[in-house]
Amino acid sequence: MNTTAPNTTAPNATALNTTALGTAAAAEAVGLHVASLAPRGAAVAALGGDFGPLPPLHPEEEDVVRTAVADRRREFAVGRHSARIALGGLGFAPPVIRRGPGGAPVWPPGVVGSITHAGGVCAAAVAPAADVAGLGIDIEPAEPLPDEVLTLVCTPGERHQLPPGPTAPLFAKVVFSAKESVYKVLSPLTGRFWDFHDVELALDLPGGGFRLDRGPFPVHGRFRVADGFVITVARPERPRALTTGGTLPAVPPPVPVLLPAPASPSVSAPVRAVPDPGPVPASARAAAGPAPEGTPPQMTVAQHLSADVEKVRSYYRLVDEGDVEGLLALFAPDAVYHRPGYEPLTGRAELGRFYREERVVARGRHTVTSVTAAGGAVAVQGGFRGELRDGGTVALRYADFFALSPEGLFTRRDTYFFAPLV
């Protein structure tokens, strides 16, 4: 257990704690930071990524990562375990936590929340939906955002708000993390994917806050740079109880539920005592609202285009998650993949071999900056930053072109990198 209290000083341009802790201590510190930034009534859990043997995943959860690489499987399992611990703080028995259409976890009725992982730590935060309409959290290593990624993430207005001098790239990482938290609020409530330039945040760097005023509804959040991490938490401006004319009930403070990694693989890790959150309000068991209506039998042209775009966005998410089986299902059996400097890949078998064995990238993240769709074709521009199999790193821009069949499967993909023969 970490015997040193984490730095909870409000961040500003002259006082930033970027010193990294060991994994077990980092998990404890991150959990406390998230709990201190989260809305009242939330429950938070944090685990070190090297936590010992975990309870087995439910078969529906196991299916999500059955073909993923070992690191992704482990990360997913620790994240789901963290989420179940957090839900226990609200009085819920351990549920199956399925993955929704956009990749976000599907919470029990009447609950909102999110999961995040970085730097060997997984954290989850949940809250009653009657008290807060959405909850997004994100953690990132407290490292400067590279210049080539900064313009992909920050709008001109956000870059103008960054402090001058050497701290600007680190505060750009704060913007990156804040937007991740905001997206976790927006996406479940709007049913769509949000790009980095779809929103522009107003930053309060000395006060450790940020706001989204230009969007479907206002969102505000808080951040902290401490103990080697950037930590951000976002929520809608007004809790659901107030927007529907009700009154906001009294709720307890956030409950940190922390299980740091044990010194050796074991399930008998020391557990911090969890304060009793009191009886679970009936509102926490209430349904979050009616289920979305089904897709109409006759899709309009606009709906076809939207479906094509979402299919392409799913591709990048599945690639970054290492879900080879999931991404292969997006391609037609005879699909062709063209890359400058390489022979085309034809068919799912060759594509599968490429993604499992031949791809030079070990792990990374795509950032989509623009998407254009028309007549069964989707064009994408974006940036990628990742780690190569040989240990090197890569950061570059790309342009992709997808052709889709009437059934919505990729029949062809052409990739162009802003670098020679990547």
Side-chain angles (χ1 to χ4, degrees), residues 364-384:
R365 177 171 184 151
H366 290 83
T367 300
V368 176
T369 57
S370 68
V371 182
T372 303
V378 179
V380 179
Q381 292 190 64
F384 176 82

Side-chain angles (χ1 to χ4, degrees), residues 389-400:
R389 290 182 185 270
D390 63 7
T393 59
V394 61
L396 45 77
R397 294 169 57 204
Y398 66 86
D400 276 348

Side-chain angles (χ1 to χ4, degrees), residues 67-106:
T67 60
V69 296
D71 286 350
R72 168 58 184 160
R73 291 171 57 85
R74 180 72 176 169
E75 184 180 78
F76 180 87
V78 175
R80 283 311 191 260
H81 192 46
S82 301
R84 276 188 267 273
I85 295 170
L87 285 166
L90 295 184
F92 285 86
V96 178
I97 304 175
R98 299 173 176 84
R99 186 174 69 175
V106 177

Side-chain angles (χ1 to χ4, degrees), residues 260-350:
S264 59
S266 170
V267 295
S268 59
V271 180
R272 165 165 295 200
V274 180
D276 182 1
V280 181
S283 58
R285 305 289 187 179
E293 296 182 0
T295 303
Q298 299 298 324
M299 295 182 69
T300 65
V301 172
Q303 287 171 324
H304 272 297
L305 295 180
S306 176
D308 290 349
V309 169
E310 289 307 311
K311 188 71 65 68
V312 169
R313 292 188 189 281
S314 295
Y315 165 80
Y316 294 110
R317 172 177 55 78
L318 293 168
V319 169
D320 293 346
E321 291 178 353
D323 187 347
V324 176
E325 203 65 32
L327 70 89
L328 289 179
L330 300 177
F331 286 86
D334 57 351
V336 181
Y337 177 21
H338 292 267
R339 298 169 297 154
Y342 298 92
E343 290 297 316
L345 299 171
T346 303
R348 287 177 178 166
E350 288 191 11

Side-chain angles (χ1 to χ4, degrees), residues 164-176:
T167 60
L170 182 56
F171 279 109
K173 178 62 85 59
V174 171
V175 176
F176 175 92

Side-chain angles (χ1 to χ4, degrees), residues 96-126:
V96 178
I97 304 175
R98 299 173 176 84
R99 186 174 69 175
V106 177
W107 302 106
V111 173
V112 296
S114 61
I115 302 172
T116 183
H117 36 72
V121 173
C122 291
V126 293

